[in-house]
């Protein structure tokens, strides 16, 4: 409605880094530079939104999903715009860019989807399994982006991944968590769940690739794909989803079956 009904919206609502107007920190998410830009963004949103929604309601998180979505519509654009201003300003000096579009928010929904996958594991098993899944998903996302743009960063991120894994394992041990027998993980239901989560993770990887095109495709004619904004949207979306999760009554472990209970008690 804004795009077609208010032709002057671009000048009024886009976030111009050379002339900062506070309200454009929010409104820039709701204007687009062309019809193609708008259609591509709406199409990306339509392809992504269904999966986190289904996972959320399937794990008793309908209200959580709606609250996080509201935060995405109001808070996320402001956070991304501020990040863009701090990061892109020095990069584009002496010229100043203009940032706009809803793709940052859509990237936030990819972050929500990633949290939903971890939530599903926690819902089926336990908080510890959800934490480990979330750590693994974060590692995968970092590796996808690192390989896409900078192989040196890949080496650094691998070191960070190893450090994170060591810290997590040490915390698990010192926290007195029981270590289950490996035989328990080969039950039929666990294998099916693992394969299902694997499909979800692969889908999340595809979504991440959409928002981080190859380096030679970042610049397109007179415009550029704002990969900084997309990265910020992905990170802030994940954080807002996690904050919302902390404020909700816990449903982790709600669907633990007798075999899954054995995982916690065995050993």
């Amino acid at each position: 409605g804004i795009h077609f009904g208010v032709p002057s919206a671009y000048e009024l609502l886009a976030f111009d880094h050379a002339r900062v107007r506070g309200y454009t920190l929010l409104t820039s998410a709701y204007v687009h530079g062309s019809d193609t830009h708008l259609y591509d963004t709406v199409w990306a949103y339509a392809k992504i939104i269904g999966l986190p929604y289904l996972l959320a309601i399937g794990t008793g998180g309908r209200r959580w999903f709606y609250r996080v979505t509201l935060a995405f519509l109001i808070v996320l654009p402001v956070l991304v715009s501020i990040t863009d201003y701090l990061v892109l300003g020095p990069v584009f000096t002496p010229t100043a860019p203009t940032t706009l579009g809803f793709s940052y928010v859509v990237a936030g929904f990819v972050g929500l989807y990633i949290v939903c996958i971890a939530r599903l594991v926690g819902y089926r098993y336990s908080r510890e399994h959800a934490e480990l899944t979330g750590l693994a998903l974060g590692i995968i996302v970092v590796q996808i982006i690192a390989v896409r743009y900078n192989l040196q960063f890949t080496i650094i991120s691998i070191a960070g991944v190893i450090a994170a894994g060591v810290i997590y394992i040490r915390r698990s041990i010192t926290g007195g968590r029981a270590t289950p027998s490996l035989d328990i993980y080969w039950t039929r239901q666990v294998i099916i769940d693992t394969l299902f989560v694997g499909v979800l993770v692969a889908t999340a990887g595809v979504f991440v690739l959409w928002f981080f095109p190859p380096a030679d495709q970042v610049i397109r004619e007179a415009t550029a794909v704002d990969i900084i904004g997309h990265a910020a949207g992905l990170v802030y979306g994940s954080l807002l989803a996690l904050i919302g999760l902390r404020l909700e009554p816990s449903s982790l472990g709600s669907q633990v079956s007798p075999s899954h209970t054995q995982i916690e008690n065995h050993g």
Side-chain angles (χ1 to χ4, degrees):
I2 294 173
H3 182 79
F4 294 109
V6 188
S8 61
Y10 179 90
E11 291 78 11
L12 294 173
L13 304 180
F15 179 42
D16 185 351
H17 291 222
R19 186 164 61 99
V20 177
R21 293 166 292 182
Y23 68 89
T24 62
L25 294 174
L26 171 64
T27 59
S28 59
Y30 300 98
V31 290
H32 296 80
S34 65
D35 292 354
T36 301
H37 184 199
L38 174 66
Y39 298 149
D40 287 346
T41 304
V42 171
W43 177 230
Y45 171 79
K47 289 186 289 186
I48 290 171
I49 191 62
L51 288 173
Y53 176 71
L54 290 175
L55 287 178
I57 64 173
T59 54
R62 186 190 299 268
R63 288 198 300 178
W64 167 70
F65 177 86
Y66 289 148
R67 289 172 179 172
V68 172
T69 297
L70 182 61
F72 280 9
L73 298 179
I74 299 174
V75 179
L76 185 59
V78 176
L79 295 175
V80 172
S81 295
I82 293 174
T83 302
D84 263 347
Y85 181 74
L86 295 175
V87 176
L88 293 181
V91 173
F92 282 88
T93 301
T95 61
T98 298
T99 51
L100 70 164
F102 197 72
S103 59
Y104 317 134
V105 181
V106 181
F109 279 106
V110 177
L112 173 61
Y113 177 45
I114 291 171
V115 174
C116 283
I117 296 174
R119 177 191 171 99
L120 173 66
V121 174
Y123 183 77
R124 293 282 295 161
Y125 295 91
S126 69
R127 180 180 298 276
E128 288 74 24
H129 291 89
E131 290 176 353
L132 188 58
T133 301
L135 176 63
L137 287 167
I139 290 168
I140 291 171
V141 171
V142 170
Q143 288 301 302
I144 289 174
I145 299 173
V147 172
R148 183 71 114 178
Y149 295 116
N150 192 326
L151 293 178
Q152 291 180 340
F153 181 65
T154 302
I155 298 174
I156 297 174
S157 62
I158 289 174
V161 165
I162 294 174
V166 170
I167 293 172
Y168 181 86
I169 291 171
R170 283 182 62 85
R171 196 186 71 160
S172 298
I173 294 174
T174 56
R177 297 172 186 169
T179 302
S181 169
L182 293 179
D183 292 340
I184 295 174
Y185 289 116
W186 290 98
T187 62
R188 179 179 179 182
Q189 188 59 55
V190 171
I191 293 174
I192 293 173
D193 289 346
T194 301
L195 292 175
F196 179 65
V197 170
V199 172
L200 297 179
V201 171
T203 306
V206 172
F207 290 163
V208 171
L209 285 174
W210 286 350
F211 289 93
F212 298 93
D216 59 353
Q217 297 180 20
V218 172
I219 305 296
R220 300 175 182 174
E221 298 179 354
T223 63
V225 178
D226 184 5
I227 58 175
I228 299 299
H230 290 171
L234 182 63
V235 172
Y236 292 138
S238 302
L239 291 176
L240 289 172
L242 289 171
I243 293 171
L245 201 58
R246 295 284 293 182
L247 299 177
E248 288 288 312
S250 176
S251 61
L252 299 182
S254 298
Q255 291 296 307
V256 174
S257 67
S259 64
H260 298 154
T261 303
Q262 187 181 12
I263 292 178
E264 295 184 353
N265 296 333
H266 185 85

